[in-house]
């Protein structure tokens, strides 16, 4: 049941990034949550309690932090977890209609997974892609942009065949220790500080 | 520091918050999230004021306006006064003089009410709801939001004692901050975000001890006291400010009675004693005062207790004591009796010459108290020896925890305790290294930097000759700090020997530590100054069954496995028909401490007044009146026949005037104490009869298992339900 029981190295590594104080211990909350979420797809109550023990805080505190972010889930999600942006720009571009279409076609509501285990849906706050509204995020992999009803149907058909097209815009990116940004799939994005040539002359 | 509020010039101490400046000027500003003993966070945005300060120019002098006065640069928008520090020369405008502030506050009120369910007709906070009052005073009187409000769980039980109504919550965060900052138990928090935010716990319930305080500080009807819920409106209660006598702390409380029943107990501020917090026993354990009360005297006729009247009871006592000497009647009283009652009993004992007098609970020796509760809160180290504060003196535990977070006491203004003390911060840094707990496992030991398990009787000896790292650290701490306080609990005080007293005196002279022994009973400390212990040849309370006759006031030895009656005749004076009362020959109805006038002495030696709540007690009488009746039956005439004569006698005996005690009590030396050997005493805060029987009261809260059973859908095997979340 305990997730971190056999991952002492990982736990030590995560805690080493923060000061060795009670406050510092608590700061490790988010990476620990991310670790469980990435591995299991959701964070159960037992895992919240386990993380609370590791951080020296309470499960309430963990749930409070975790529920603030829509990227953490308390229940298992489907293989294709579709997150529809419902903030103003997407709403003006028809995300409400898109949402209605999605839930009626898939016959699934937030908190549920379709019978075949493929789909789950979620409304999320601004995905920061207003120029390409309405936007749907697939898992952690990226955005499908300007999703019309036709495009939505096409995407769903592809997912049913387990061959989803690559996202129009891969997100999110993670920043590694060396400052390099990577997509969830491990592809390089943008530049790293190490790629920069040192400035010659003058004062910084 | 000069501050000008609405044109009123003020001279305030540096560090004063804007909101306190406004109140110091005699002006008003509404607030929901600020609280005197919690960190200011500026969450509710109701205390908006306009503020501006003078500014210095490049030449280092104040920029002046046309009239030669320092020019005030106003902030472009209203600011939350509770998180703003007033600075020298600052000008503040409230709604009284500023239309901008009035409009901003009305708009904020409209926004706060945007998602409030407006349950006012049915919400039990009605009459005491800050939101309702402030909406009336500062709101527009109309809303532009006609749509359906958001909905969340109603009547969601956080515990058996506290009911949460999530949709009434206005997110002031007082309860969350309370649990984090005061008892140090982070069991409540905001879940979800934005418009979906609600308060909940993941811990499966609230921790016992101090959970009830959140019902006091909730500014709306979101957190309600389940024992008092739906039992009366605020304006229907007779509010009686009095003192809680369930433990020796003596917290200030208000007893709220309605139709002769004690329906609610709420905390009252006493900066010296309990600040504004009380324990769960004090708040929820009052049900016995109005349930199954004994209202008439009972007399045993043909082996059976039959209702009678006082004349009948006096007659029965006189008949029962025929052939006995008045000195054969042993007199025992509960240590939560008032000083006046103790004086009355002592006087009667003097008249009848009985050597068998005792009060219970008490310890065999009285250790002198030199520390106050404020000393504990502001100490730089506390050593707790053999005490379980949760059972003996819960609020003392809160004062120790206050010491751990720096001992910051909010300053006092003419308008009262500072509303927002900017030195209090959220998630305060705690100093567990300043607390050592030596003795058994308790709730407090979880907060201590040094924990040593020891038997009570050798705790001090072990501290003097440390043999573990923790003990050495504790001894070092005691030697190094300036203001240490030593708290002594039952495990130590039960076994006070001459050697112990010498060691303690030595320790105190060496380290300058102040000592706070926890009294055995709520007024043990006061009664110890009266000669209420067995005299030469007298029988102590533990030898009750050897007495020829006994008068037992509000003690129940039979329940604790002790003999419940004297050899011959037994008179019991109690509020309920206890196991001991069932064995008695005559039972006299008593009043509870909620309906008494008198004086009690708390563990610091502070004299605190008791006042009479309007409870229906039938023919119940306090001990003074009962003893007058008893004297009549014995054929003696006692000098003390009421409160006044008792207080006059105490003024002579102890040299204190009890007639006009200040609200927060006063510490006075009371002179010599009387001691005698005693049985060991195990403190227990919650008595059986203090538990509310929810079924009888018609408000049974399902426990967690029940709740889960109700949620469980039939046909599911209880496996994790599938699905994502919103």
């Amino acid at each position: 049941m305990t997730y971190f029981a056999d991952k002492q190295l990982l736990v030590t590594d995560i805690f080493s990034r923060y000061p060795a104080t009670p406050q510092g211990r608590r700061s490790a909350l988010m990476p620990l949550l991310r670790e469980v979420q990435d591995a299991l797809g959701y964070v159960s109550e037992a895992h919240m309690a386990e993380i609370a023990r590791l951080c020296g805080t309470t499960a309430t505190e963990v749930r409070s932090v975790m529920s603030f972010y829509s990227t953490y889930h308390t229940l298992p999600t489907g293989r294709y977890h579709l997150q529809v942006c419902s903030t103003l720009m997407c709403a003006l571009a028809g995300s409400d209609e898109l949402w209605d279409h999605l839930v009626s076609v898939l016959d699934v509501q937030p908190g549920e997974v379709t019978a075949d285990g493929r789909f789950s849906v979620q409304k999320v706050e601004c995905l920061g892609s207003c120029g390409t509204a309405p936007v749907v995020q697939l898992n952690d992999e990226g955005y499908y942009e300007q999703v019309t009803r036709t495009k939505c149907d096409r995407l769903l058909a592809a997912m049913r065949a387990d061959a989803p097209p690559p996202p129009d815009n891969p997100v999110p990116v993670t920043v590694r220790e060396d400052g390099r940004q990577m997509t969830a799939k491990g592809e390089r994005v943008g530049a790293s500080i190490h790629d920069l040539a040192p400035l010659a002359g003058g004062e910084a | 520091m000069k501050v000008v509020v609405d044109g009123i010039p003020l001279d305030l101490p540096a560090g004063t918050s804007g909101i306190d400046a406004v109140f110091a000027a005699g002006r008003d500003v509404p607030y929901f999230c600020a609280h005197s003993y919690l960190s200011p966070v500026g969450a509710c945005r109701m205390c908006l004021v306009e503020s501006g300060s003078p500014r210095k120019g490049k030449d280092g002098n104040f920029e002046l306006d046309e009239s030669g006065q320092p020019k005030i640069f106003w902030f472009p928008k209203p600011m939350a006064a509770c998180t703003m520090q007033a600075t020298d020369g600052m000008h503040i405008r409230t709604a009284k003089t500023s239309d901008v502030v009035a409009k901003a506050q009305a708009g904020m009120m409209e926004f706060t009410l945007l998602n409030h369910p407006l349950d006012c007709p049915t919400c039990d906070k009605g009459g005491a709801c800050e939101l309702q009052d402030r909406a009336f005073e500062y709101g527009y009187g109309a809303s532009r939001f006609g749509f359906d409000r958001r909905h969340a769980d109603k009547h969601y039980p956080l515990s058996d004692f506290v009911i949460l109504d999530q949709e009434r919550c206005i997110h002031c965060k007082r309860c969350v901050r309370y649990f984090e900052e005061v008892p140090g138990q982070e069991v409540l928090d905001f879940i979800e975000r934005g418009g979906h935010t609600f308060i909940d716990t993941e811990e499966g319930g609230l921790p016992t001890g101090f959970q009830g305080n959140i019902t006091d500080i909730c500014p709306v009807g979101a957190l309600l006291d389940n024992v008092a819920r739906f039992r009366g409106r605020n304006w229907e209660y007779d509010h009686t400010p009095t003192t809680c006598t369930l433990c020796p702390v003596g917290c200030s409380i208000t007893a709220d009675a309605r139709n002769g029943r004690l329906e609610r107990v709420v905390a009252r501020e006493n900066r010296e004693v309990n600040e504004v917090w009380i324990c769960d026993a004090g708040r929820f354990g009052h049900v016995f005062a109005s349930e199954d009360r004994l209202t008439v005297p009972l007399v045993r006729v043909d082996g059976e207790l039959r209702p009678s009247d006082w004349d009948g009871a006096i007659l029965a006592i006189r008949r029962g004591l025929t052939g006995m000497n008045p000195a054969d009647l042993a007199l025992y009283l509960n240590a939560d009796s008032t000083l006046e009652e103790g004086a009355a009993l002592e006087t009667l004992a003097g008249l009848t010459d009985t050597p068998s007098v005792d009060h219970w609970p008490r310890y065999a020796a009285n250790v002198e108290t030199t520390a106050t509760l404020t000393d504990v809160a502001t100490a730089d180290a506390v050593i707790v020896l053999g005490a379980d504060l949760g059972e003996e003196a819960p609020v003392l535990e809160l004062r120790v925890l206050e010491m751990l977070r720096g001992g910051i006491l909010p300053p006092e203004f003419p308008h009262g305790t500072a509303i927002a003390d900017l030195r209090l911060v959220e998630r305060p840094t705690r100093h567990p290294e300043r607390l050592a707990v030596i003795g058994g496992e308790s709730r407090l030991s979880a907060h201590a930097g040094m924990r040593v398990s020891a038997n009570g009787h050798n705790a001090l000896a072990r501290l003097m000759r440390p043999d573990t790292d923790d003990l050495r650290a504790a001894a070092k701490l005691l030697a190094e700090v300036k203001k240490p306080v030593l708290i002594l609990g039952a495990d130590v005080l039960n076994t006070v020997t001459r050697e112990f007293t010498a060691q303690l005196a030595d320790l105190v002279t060496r380290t300058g530590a102040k000592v706070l022994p926890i009294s055995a009973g709520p007024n043990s400390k006061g009664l110890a100054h009266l000669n209420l212990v067995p005299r030469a040849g007298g029988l102590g309370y533990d030898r009750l069954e050897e007495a020829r006759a006994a008068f037992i006031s509000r003690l129940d030895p039979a329940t604790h496995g002790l003999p419940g009656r004297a050899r011959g005749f037994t008179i019991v004076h109690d509020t309920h028909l206890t196991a001991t009362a069932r064995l008695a020959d005559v039972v006299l109805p008593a009043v509870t401490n909620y309906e008494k006038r008198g004086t009690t002495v708390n563990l610091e030696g502070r004299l605190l007044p008791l006042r009479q709540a309007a409870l229906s007690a039938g023919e119940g009488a306090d001990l003074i009146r009962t003893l007058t009746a008893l004297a009549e039956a014995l054929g003696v005439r006692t000098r003390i026949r009421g409160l006044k004569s008792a207080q006059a006698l105490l003024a002579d005996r102890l040299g204190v005037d009890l007639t006009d005690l200040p609200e927060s009590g006063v510490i006075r030396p009371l002179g010599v104490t009387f001691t005698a050997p005693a049985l060991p005493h195990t403190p227990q805060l919650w008595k059986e009869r203090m538990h509310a029987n929810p079924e009888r009261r018609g408000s049974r809260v399902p426990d967690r298992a029940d709740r889960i059973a109700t949620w469980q859908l039939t046909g599911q095997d209880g496996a994790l339900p599938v699905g994502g979340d919103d």
Side-chain angles (χ1 to χ4, degrees):
Chain A
M1 187 49 109
T2 56
Y3 177 82
F4 293 102
D6 54 352
K7 299 184 179 58
Q8 266 318 305
L9 272 178
L10 178 76
V11 172
T12 318
D13 173 47
I14 289 176
F15 278 112
S16 71
R17 301 173 206 168
Y18 302 97
T21 59
Q23 285 85 350
R25 270 183 94 68
R26 210 134 80 171
S27 304
L29 188 60
M30 297 274 273
L32 293 172
L33 276 174
R34 172 50 64 191
E35 177 60 34
V36 176
Q37 164 84 26
D38 282 349
L40 306 177
Y42 75 108
V43 185
S44 70
E45 291 205 356
H47 290 128
M48 286 183 227
E50 188 192 356
I51 292 173
R53 270 197 306 282
L54 284 170
C55 295
T57 177
T58 55
T60 305
E61 198 82 7
V62 175
R63 188 175 157 210
S64 166
V65 169
M66 172 180 157
S67 67
F68 186 84
Y69 300 94
S70 55
T71 47
Y72 298 120
H73 309 293
T74 50
L75 295 170
T77 50
R79 199 177 315 148
Y80 305 108
H81 185 58
L82 301 173
Q83 299 142 72
V84 181
C85 174
S86 59
T87 311
L88 187 67
M89 289 305 153
C90 287
L92 290 174
S95 70
D96 284 352
E97 291 77 8
L98 175 65
W99 172 261
D100 291 346
H101 179 66
L102 203 60
V103 293
S104 58
V105 166
L106 295 176
D107 192 20
V108 69
Q109 285 294 326
E112 297 172 351
V113 175
T114 49
D116 55 3
R118 266 202 183 81
F119 295 104
S120 55
V121 291
Q122 183 183 4
K123 268 189 190 178
V124 292
E125 298 305 327
C126 189
L127 291 176
S129 192
C130 308
T132 56
V135 172
V136 175
Q137 182 180 331
L138 170 65
N139 300 338
D140 279 349
E141 287 158 29
Y143 293 170
Y144 294 116
E145 298 171 334
Q146 286 162 331
V147 186
T148 56
R149 184 182 285 220
T150 329
K151 182 171 182 182
C152 178
D153 288 340
R154 206 173 62 237
L155 289 171
L156 292 181
M159 287 172 195
R160 284 207 179 91
D162 284 332
D168 300 334
N169 198 356
V171 286
V173 291
T174 51
V175 181
R176 287 197 332 197
E177 220 170 311
D178 58 357
R180 182 169 301 286
Q181 298 187 339
M182 313 288 280
T183 64
K185 284 186 173 162
E187 292 154 0
R188 278 174 61 163
V189 181
S192 156
I193 46 167
H194 299 290
D195 300 339
L196 299 173
L199 287 173
E203 280 181 47
Chain B
M1 186 178 77
K2 308 279 185 216
V3 179
V4 179
V5 177
D6 285 350
I8 305 165
L10 300 163
D11 195 5
L12 296 169
T16 305
S17 61
I19 199 168
D20 283 307
V22 171
F23 277 85
R27 290 301 165 94
D28 185 37
V29 64
Y31 61 93
F32 299 124
C33 67
H35 188 277
S36 301
Y37 293 92
L38 300 177
S39 60
V41 290
C44 73
R45 317 307 295 176
M46 270 313 283
C47 60
L48 298 172
V49 292
E50 276 194 291
S51 65
S53 301
R55 191 186 288 167
K56 279 179 182 165
K58 284 184 179 148
D59 56 357
N61 296 320
F62 282 115
E63 291 186 26
L64 305 178
D65 60 10
E66 318 69 80
S67 58
Q69 292 295 312
K71 191 176 175 205
I72 301 301
F73 290 84
W74 293 90
F75 279 102
K77 304 253 173 171
M79 307 256 289
C82 68
T83 45
M84 179 182 76
Q85 185 167 321
T87 52
D88 198 17
M90 183 180 263
H91 283 234
I92 294 174
R93 285 190 206 137
T94 70
K96 188 110 176 168
T97 55
S98 165
D99 290 342
V100 173
V101 171
K103 180 168 185 286
Q105 282 175 349
M108 200 58 230
M109 180 53 79
E110 190 181 20
F111 183 68
T112 304
L113 292 174
L114 169 65
N115 266 320
H116 196 73
L118 304 178
D119 284 340
C120 310
T122 52
C123 169
D124 208 34
K125 194 77 167 183
C129 175
E130 289 168 43
L131 182 64
Q132 195 180 42
D133 297 349
R134 296 314 206 164
F136 184 75
E137 289 172 286
Y138 288 91
Y140 280 130
S143 174
R144 288 170 289 177
F145 304 115
F147 50 80
D148 196 18
R149 271 93 170 79
R150 93 185 157 137
H151 289 293
D153 261 4
K154 287 191 102 64
H155 315 304
Y156 171 70
L158 285 177
S159 73
D160 283 356
F161 292 131
V162 179
I163 300 283
L164 168 64
D165 193 318
Q166 287 173 342
E167 60 181 29
R168 287 182 194 155
C169 174
I170 60 164
H171 307 156
C172 71
K173 217 182 174 193
R174 274 187 188 174
C175 54
V176 176
R177 281 180 288 150
Y178 164 77
F179 270 118
E180 277 177 11
E181 294 168 23
V182 181
Q185 302 158 324
E186 299 170 40
V187 293
L188 280 186
D189 214 332
F190 285 149
I191 312 293
E192 298 292 338
R193 67 166 169 179
H196 303 289
T197 306
F198 61 90
I199 292 283
D200 199 3
T201 175
E202 187 65 31
E203 252 59 40
L206 300 179
T208 49
F210 306 101
Q211 53 170 273
N213 290 318
I214 58 173
T215 65
D216 267 359
I217 60 176
C218 182
V220 295
L223 291 160
L224 291 172
D225 167 349
N226 189 38
V227 177
R229 202 165 72 116
F230 297 128
R231 304 190 76 83
R233 292 286 192 179
N234 204 48
W235 61 85
E236 295 176 312
Y237 292 129
D238 294 304
H239 306 287
T240 310
T242 182
T243 302
C244 178
T245 53
L246 294 175
C247 85
V249 173
C251 298
S252 291
I253 55 165
T254 302
D256 286 347
R258 174 174 178 254
N259 292 345
R261 287 177 59 90
L262 181 60
E263 299 290 19
R264 185 173 73 170
V265 166
V266 291
R268 202 157 52 86
E269 188 180 24
N270 185 343
R271 289 173 55 93
E272 308 291 329
V273 179
N274 57 317
E275 301 190 319
V276 283
W277 315 120
I278 58 174
C279 70
D280 287 346
R283 183 184 306 272
F284 303 118
H286 59 78
V287 288
F288 69 90
S290 293
E291 293 194 342
D292 303 330
R293 280 288 292 272
L294 199 58
T295 51
V296 291
L298 305 176
V299 172
R300 193 170 294 278
V301 181
D302 300 333
E304 203 180 306
L305 284 173
R306 298 247 176 92
S308 173
D309 54 16
W310 277 85
D311 286 340
I314 290 169
L315 205 66
I317 293 170
R318 192 173 291 156
R319 209 179 303 129
L321 295 177
T322 315
M324 288 189 213
N325 200 319
D328 291 336
L329 181 66
L331 303 168
Y332 303 115
L333 81 160
N334 194 318
D336 69 358
S337 305
T338 62
L339 270 187
E340 288 83 351
E341 291 178 325
L345 193 90
E346 191 191 21
T347 309
L348 183 73
L351 283 172
T352 59
D353 268 338
T354 176
S356 307
V357 186
D358 207 352
H359 66 284
W360 182 258
R362 66 177 172 85
Y363 297 124
N366 295 313
V367 176
E368 200 197 341
T369 305
T370 48
T372 63
L373 289 166
T374 306
D375 287 337
V376 172
T378 55
D380 42 16
V382 169
I383 315 273
V384 181
L385 288 179
D388 181 353
L389 299 188
E391 292 293 342
E392 296 182 48
V395 168
L396 176 56
E397 184 175 325
L398 291 186
R399 302 306 301 259
V400 173
L401 295 177
E402 190 174 22
M403 182 278 295
L404 289 186
R405 50 175 205 275
I408 298 170
L409 306 179
E412 202 173 5
F413 288 101
H415 65 267
T417 306
I419 294 161
D421 181 357
L422 295 164
R423 295 169 304 160
L424 296 171
V425 292
E426 238 186 321
R427 298 237 171 81
T429 308
R430 293 196 164 79
H431 300 278
E433 72 280 2
R434 292 186 188 169
L435 174 65
V437 174
I438 302 171
E441 191 73 12
S442 70
R443 198 168 49 206
L444 189 68
S445 46
H447 297 271
M450 287 147 274
R451 289 186 287 267
V452 183
S453 62
N455 290 325
H457 62 268
N458 65 9
L460 186 68
R462 288 194 65 191
L463 183 63
M464 307 283 276
R465 280 185 296 279
D467 55 2
T468 71
D469 285 346
D470 273 345
L471 276 173
R472 268 188 287 273
K476 187 158 165 276
L477 183 71
L478 200 53
E480 282 174 357
V481 300
K482 289 200 179 67
K483 300 180 293 178
V485 171
L486 206 58
I487 295 174
L488 307 177
D491 284 352
V492 171
L493 297 169
N494 266 326
T495 51
V496 171
T497 55
R498 192 165 297 163
E499 189 193 0
F500 175 91
T501 319
Q503 280 177 337
L504 188 67
D506 174 40
L507 190 72
V508 167
T509 26
R510 254 191 322 114
T511 62
K514 292 187 172 182
V515 183
L516 185 66
I518 304 172
S519 327
N523 192 22
S524 294
K525 184 131 179 74
L527 298 180
H529 295 278
L530 300 171
N531 191 4
L532 295 174
V533 292
R535 292 98 196 249
L539 302 167
Y541 171 64
D542 50 318
R543 290 168 66 196
L544 161 68
E545 83 272 34
E546 294 170 41
R548 278 192 77 188
F551 170 82
I552 307 165
S553 177
R554 295 186 308 109
L555 282 167
D556 188 11
T559 297
H560 301 108
L562 299 168
R565 53 172 288 127
R567 198 147 48 85
F569 194 71
T570 309
I571 310 158
V572 167
H573 171 237
D574 210 321
T575 52
H576 292 74
L577 195 61
T578 59
T580 310
R582 283 176 211 283
L583 301 172
D585 298 296
V586 174
V587 183
L588 303 173
V591 295
T592 63
N593 279 6
Y594 298 107
E595 44 200 302
K596 257 183 210 171
R597 266 183 272 264
T599 312
T600 186
V601 183
N602 81 347
L603 76 175
E604 313 164 277
R606 188 182 300 276
L607 298 153
L608 291 158
L610 288 185
R611 297 200 188 79
Q612 186 178 17
L615 305 189
S616 75
E619 293 178 31
D622 67 4
L623 188 57
I624 303 181
R625 278 181 61 204
T626 307
L627 290 177
T628 316
L630 189 62
E632 192 183 324
L634 294 170
V636 292
R637 189 179 163 78
T638 168
R639 200 187 126 190
I640 295 185
R641 301 179 69 80
L643 192 73
K644 270 194 174 171
S645 45
Q647 290 184 337
L649 181 105
L650 285 168
D652 284 350
R653 274 280 314 268
L654 309 175
V656 287
D657 177 16
L658 302 176
T659 51
D660 197 20
L661 288 177
E663 198 70 11
S664 58
V666 61
I667 297 181
R668 289 273 177 278
L670 296 179
V672 291
T673 58
F674 296 85
T675 53
L679 282 179
H681 162 62
T682 313
Q684 186 201 356
L685 186 62
W686 281 89
K687 314 279 188 297
E688 187 50 44
R689 63 184 185 181
M690 283 161 60
H691 294 278
N693 179 344
E695 251 156 24
R696 188 173 61 240
R697 295 171 62 85
S699 60
R700 198 186 100 80
V701 175
D703 62 19
R704 196 169 164 76
D706 286 354
R707 264 147 51 200
I708 290 168
T710 339
W711 297 335
Q712 213 93 64
L713 297 175
T714 49
Q716 287 203 350
D717 56 358
L720 198 65
V722 287
D725 55 357
D726 183 11

